[in-house]
Amino acid sequence: MADRGEVAGPVPATAMQEALWWVHQRARNRSVYNLTWRLATDRPLDRAALRDAWQSLVDRHETLRTSIHRRDGRVELDVAARLPVDVARIEIDDPGSADPATLLRLLAEELQEREFALDSAPLARLTHVRVGAVHELVLTVHHVVLDGWAIQLLMGDLSQAYAAAGAGRPVSWPADPVPFSTYAREHAAARADDRWAQSLRYWRNTLAAATAATLEPDLPGELASGAPGAIVRYGFSADAATGIAALAKVTFGTPFAIVLAAAQIVLARGGAGSDVTLGVVVANRMTARDQALVGYTANLCTVRAGVRDTDTVLDVVGRARDGMWAMLTHQAVPYPVVFEALPSDTQTALGDTAPLLLSYLGPIGNDLRLGDVPVRLLPSPNRAARADLAMSTWETDGEYLAEIEFNTSRYRPDTVLRFLHDLDAVLADGGAEPARTVGSLAVGSRARTGRGVPAGAAAHAAPLPQTAVWRQVVAAWTELLGGPPAGPDVNFFAVGGNSLRALQFVGAVQPAGGPAVDIVRWLGEPTPRRLVDQLTDDPAEPAAEPSTLVRLRDGTGPHLHLLPGAGGSPRDYQDLVAALPGDWLVTASTGTEFADVPAMARAFQADLAAAGLVPDVLGGWSMGGQIAYQMAADRPGRRPLLVLLDSAPPTGYPQPGDAARHRFAEFVESVQRSSGVRRGPRAATTGDRPDAGFDGDLASGALAACLAGVGHPVPARLLAQRWRGYERHSRAVASYVHTGPVDTPALVVAAELLDTQLTQWAERLGPTRSLRVTADHHAVLGAPVAVEIAEAITDFVRVVETQV
């Protein structure tokens, strides 16, 4: 059964969703609010049943068909009536020299890292991963549509659906779910009707003059959403678990209230003082209906406590317990609404995202199954941080576990572990002696209050230009943040800015009747310079296109100009250039954005002409030889000599239906060779159906994980960029046809070229020499074959010059 009711038109986003939309736009790494559950299975999975089960969940739950849009200043939800989906698949038959466990972790990290476009549903994806005989399921969702509680519900539904599909039964449900749009509209009505007034008064009183506490940073990085991050998983000791049980018994407090009290003690003893304020993530599901809701209901609440050295552990736990109950009474008010109601100085002191976050997951992640297949929740694969530190605690098999996501540009791992060890010790000692005073507890952690300007901000200090627009921007900045920017490249959010102030800031400098400032574009780099750039942008003067010309080596001898192979770069020719005579002038072209060979030839020739260069020899490997041939064909009068390195003749080639998948296998081979990988993973495949299209970004992420697994890390985004160029060029090569003739001498080097292809080249060229080398197509440019080819090129040019 699907969600009850029809979604008529856009649905207003909740305040938390709206806030998260803004944070997503400004995040340095936009995967930061991806939530990934990495699930190990003890046996192979039925792919067809998994695909049918996943589709049934998307049909059932609105949130899996939801996209987020900003229109006319409002953030809204759009729900698709029907959305076909598939289960992505990554399979690596042979991990090569990579450790399978490491490779699985790296693959999960790459899947976590893939960004969602919030305006394109679904904002959830399921990937089946196999390395050798080990299987994992990776579920990634964006937090803007689902929270951790909802993922647990989703896994229960997936298990039921998988069992039914695997048994050949129709997937059915005992009852319809409550549509999230119902919850969102109720949320909007509550906000409009001022139903939160009493709770807002509570929060204003509770947080008056509060300042957020956090650990003292080790490093000068900024407190910024999406900063580089890492995860530490920690198992609390048996003594700490005993302490939690003892304190719970005597205070009637929940385990989370006791962990919260321990964190307050560690921070207070570490230097944060007696007034400790932390962020707490709550499920915000106080009714049976909301507990069954698949969506994003979680909220951020701020807990404030007094912790004095003369207090006993029992005193602090009791206040934490009472504070939690008061907080839960008023948890329905979204933190962005609370934040907006606070005085400006309190907003600055707290921030729109708390620097230190705590949450309690209870039994989430326990006893997971897919039908009759047990699954185990593995450590989270995050590589970006939401805050300074975000710690989740949960129970499993009578033990307490924690994961801390931390900002690696501000903290070293040993600082995070020290904090966890301090928590462990306070829980153990406090449970054993509840009457022990806080001042008698020793902690190694160093803590502070206030977000402050990071030490690294001084690196951006510089004089500010004195134009009218700059003065206007500086005045607005000063009004909102209490002082002028230290330089033109200071990050607005790193020095106390928040999403509300960002809107106010841009509104204050927006010229009346002028072009609208694109605030989303500015959030990508929120500095004074980038805002001034927008305010002074002159579309009548577009920026000049960068030249495609690269000078590899100066010289007074013959001038050789090299053209790129498919998806390649001038660096591919380094061995060949090194083997050529030392007096040769060598230049090259670069660029992947061109759609066909003639367009590349025209662009590269134009940049040569602009530099006043007329090469004596044009050469290239693979596609580069075709470009050289076309450039010679376009040249009037005396044409340059040609060197064609295992280049297919321009006769056109048919494209099979699954051509991209086969080309990616060739791309993997070329990347591994250029990276020096000798025993890399083999037979990596992606996608589940040949007719479903090829996902190059997914495949590039898998390739990045494979390279990292054998010690040759390359960022997935760079591989994806290179793959897109390679794919574009491969299509260009396949479609390129030129009948000739181009009357100029040529040297054709053959590695995998057939004799018939050499004949086809000879029919299109002037006097032709050929050289067959013992190498495959990708090894032509590497030593020692490059030395043999360099000697042949040198002899070819010398003989032709002698004949002339």
Side-chain angles (χ1 to χ4, degrees):
M1 296 183 182
D3 292 310
R4 290 197 307 267
E6 294 293 328
V7 178
V11 177
T14 67
M16 288 298 290
Q17 288 179 310
E18 184 173 3
L20 199 54
W21 185 92
W22 282 105
V23 174
H24 177 90
Q25 306 309 317
R26 82 188 201 213
R28 292 183 176 178
N29 182 334
R30 290 189 175 180
S31 73
V32 63
Y33 278 98
N34 290 358
L35 305 180
T36 292
W37 280 28
R38 181 184 166 205
L39 304 159
T41 72
D42 65 353
R43 71 193 74 166
L45 297 175
D46 183 330
R47 292 205 303 266
L50 189 61
R51 184 170 60 243
D52 291 346
W54 182 238
Q55 181 67 64
S56 73
L57 262 63
V58 174
D59 294 341
R60 175 171 167 77
H61 294 295
E62 269 188 7
T63 47
L64 298 180
R65 307 191 306 276
T66 296
S67 55
I68 319 292
H69 304 261
R70 184 171 183 257
R71 303 185 182 99
D72 301 324
R74 297 187 302 273
V75 178
E76 298 175 329
L77 314 178
D78 282 358
V79 181
R82 168 73 178 166
L83 191 66
V85 294
D86 200 357
V87 176
R89 177 168 53 93
I90 299 175
E91 293 191 331
I92 299 175
D93 293 332
D94 177 7
S97 59
D99 172 58
T102 299
L103 188 49
L104 284 162
R105 174 181 59 79
L106 292 167
L107 286 166
E109 289 178 357
E110 291 297 339
L111 291 169
Q112 154 71 17
E113 191 90 353
R114 296 185 68 201
E115 296 177 8
F116 286 103
L118 298 190
D119 59 357
S120 179
L123 299 181
R125 52 181 175 250
L126 190 63
T127 308
H128 178 205
V129 181
R130 178 178 64 80
V131 174
V134 183
H135 293 254
E136 289 187 3
L137 198 61
V138 181
L139 172 62
T140 303
V141 304
H142 197 283
H143 201 2
V144 78
V145 292
L146 289 164
D147 55 26
W149 186 300
I151 296 176
Q152 178 86 6
L153 297 175
L154 206 62
M155 285 301 303
D157 282 357
L158 185 63
S159 180
Q160 292 182 52
Y162 179 79
R169 301 192 310 269
V171 178
S172 61
W173 311 99
D176 293 332
V178 176
F180 185 79
S181 56
T182 300
Y183 175 87
R185 288 191 170 114
E186 291 173 355
H187 183 283
R191 188 175 189 178
D193 296 345
D194 205 22
R195 285 179 231 167
W196 297 328
Q198 181 179 352
S199 290
L200 281 173
R201 284 192 294 272
Y202 165 82
W203 287 117
R204 280 194 294 265
N205 292 334
T206 300
L207 299 177
T211 303
T214 190
L215 293 184
E216 189 71 44
D218 308 308
L219 305 168
E222 296 175 350
L223 173 58
S225 181
I231 291 280
V232 169
R233 181 177 274 200
Y234 181 84
F236 284 101
S237 68
D239 288 342
T242 300
I244 291 173
L247 289 168
K249 183 176 181 180
V250 72
T251 64
F252 300 99
T254 64
F256 184 50
I258 295 161
V259 172
L260 172 62
Q264 292 167 341
I265 290 171
V266 171
L267 292 168
R269 293 288 295 139
S274 60
D275 187 356
V276 180
T277 303
L278 299 175
V280 172
V281 179
V282 294
N284 199 20
R285 295 171 182 259
M286 298 300 287
T287 68
R289 186 207 70 170
D290 288 352
Q291 288 171 9
L293 186 66
V294 174
Y296 174 31
T297 70
N299 192 16
L300 169 64
C301 292
T302 305
V303 176
R304 187 179 188 182
V307 183
R308 297 176 294 274
D309 282 354
T310 55
D311 289 332
T312 66
V313 172
L314 209 58
D315 293 332
V316 180
V317 172
R319 285 198 290 270
R321 175 203 60 204
D322 296 343
M324 285 287 295
W325 281 114
M327 177 195 73
L328 294 174
T329 301
H330 301 284
Q331 69 175 317
V333 188
Y335 183 70
V337 177
V338 172
F339 185 81
E340 190 172 343
L342 297 174
S344 177
D345 57 346
T346 305
Q347 289 180 347
T348 299
L350 291 177
D352 56 355
T353 299
L356 201 160
L357 297 167
L358 300 181
S359 61
Y360 188 72
L361 305 180
I364 283 181
N366 292 337
D367 301 321
L368 296 173
R369 307 185 70 80
L370 274 177
D372 63 348
V373 180
V375 296
R376 179 167 49 92
L377 184 61
L378 299 174
S380 301
N382 301 41
R383 293 195 295 203
R386 293 166 285 172
D388 272 354
L389 303 106
M391 185 177 86
S392 297
T393 309
W394 70 97
E395 301 171 51
T396 177
D397 298 328
E399 299 179 342
Y400 291 91
L401 300 177
E403 278 190 354
I404 288 194
E405 169 195 287
F406 66 99
N407 182 336
T408 56
S409 71
R410 284 168 67 82
Y411 297 97
R412 297 187 180 95
D414 58 335
T415 296
V416 178
L417 285 170
R418 187 181 306 119
F419 177 65
L420 289 163
H421 291 152
D422 284 341
L423 283 176
D424 199 302
V426 168
L427 291 168
D429 294 345
E433 299 180 67
R436 186 168 175 176
T437 61
V438 167
S440 69
L441 296 168
V443 302
S445 297
R446 295 178 300 113
R448 58 175 288 183
T449 56
R451 302 156 73 85
V453 178
H460 299 295
L464 299 170
Q466 293 300 309
T467 67
V469 174
W470 269 100
R471 285 194 291 270
Q472 182 186 13
V473 167
V474 170
W477 183 291
T478 303
E479 175 69 20
L480 285 167
L481 299 181
D489 299 307
V490 171
N491 187 299
F492 180 80
F493 296 97
V495 292
N498 54 61
S499 297
L500 175 62
R501 288 180 179 175
L503 289 171
Q504 295 170 336
F505 179 46
V506 171
V509 300
Q510 175 69 58
V517 171
D518 185 344
I519 189 168
V520 174
R521 175 181 154 202
W522 178 71
L523 287 171
E525 191 177 348
T527 65
R529 187 192 303 278
R530 290 296 165 248
L531 187 55
V532 170
D533 286 347
Q534 282 204 49
L535 293 170
T536 58
D537 188 26
D538 184 0
E541 298 183 8
E545 291 291 332
S547 175
T548 61
L549 184 64
V550 177
R551 188 178 291 265
L552 299 182
R553 194 174 74 190
D554 289 322
T556 58
H559 176 190
L560 168 65
H561 185 74
L562 296 167
L563 287 311
S569 71
R571 185 177 58 185
D572 298 334
Y573 292 106
Q574 58 187 358
D575 288 341
L576 178 63
V577 172
L580 289 168
D583 65 334
W584 279 35
L585 166 64
V586 185
T587 57
S589 293
T590 185
T592 62
E593 68 275 18
F594 304 101
D596 57 61
V597 169
M600 285 183 264
R602 290 191 297 270
F604 297 155
Q605 179 57 54
D607 285 340
L608 278 167
L613 295 174
V614 181
D616 302 299
V617 186
L618 293 174
W621 167 74
S622 192
M623 181 189 71
Q626 293 188 343
I627 301 171
Y629 173 79
Q630 181 66 49
M631 289 174 69
D634 292 341
R635 174 86 67 83
R638 185 172 178 269
R639 294 184 169 117
L641 308 181
L642 292 178
V643 173
L644 313 179
L645 306 177
D646 213 40
S647 301
T651 59
Y653 301 92
Q655 294 288 286
D658 202 21
R661 197 180 305 273
H662 294 296
R663 282 197 291 267
F664 192 83
E666 297 173 353
F667 174 70
V668 169
E669 181 72 19
S670 68
V671 169
Q672 289 192 338
R673 282 183 179 276
S674 64
S675 301
V677 175
R678 295 288 180 265
R679 182 77 174 90
R682 290 287 184 266
T685 63
T686 62
D688 204 33
R689 293 197 310 260
D691 61 344
F694 182 72
D695 189 336
D697 287 345
L698 173 63
S700 297
L703 176 56
C706 291
L707 291 172
V710 291
H712 293 267
V714 181
R717 59 180 177 79
L718 296 182
L719 287 172
Q721 182 181 22
R722 185 171 172 184
W723 157 247
R724 286 190 285 271
Y726 184 89
E727 167 69 348
R728 188 182 303 115
H729 289 169
S730 296
R731 292 196 302 268
V733 168
S735 63
Y736 178 50
V737 176
H738 193 291
T739 58
V742 176
D743 188 14
T744 188
L747 169 65
V748 181
V749 176
E752 294 186 359
L753 290 181
L754 303 175
D755 289 342
T756 55
Q757 291 176 303
L758 289 175
T759 300
Q760 289 168 338
W761 270 126
E763 292 170 349
R764 288 167 169 76
L765 294 164
T768 303
R769 299 176 66 179
S770 63
L771 168 69
R772 186 166 288 282
V773 295
T774 305
D776 63 30
H777 181 68
H778 294 281
V780 166
L781 298 181
V785 181
V787 175
E788 180 184 357
I789 293 174
E791 292 174 351
I793 293 172
T794 304
D795 184 62
F796 166 64
V797 172
R798 179 184 56 78
V799 169
V800 172
E801 287 179 342
T802 301
Q803 292 173 345
V804 173

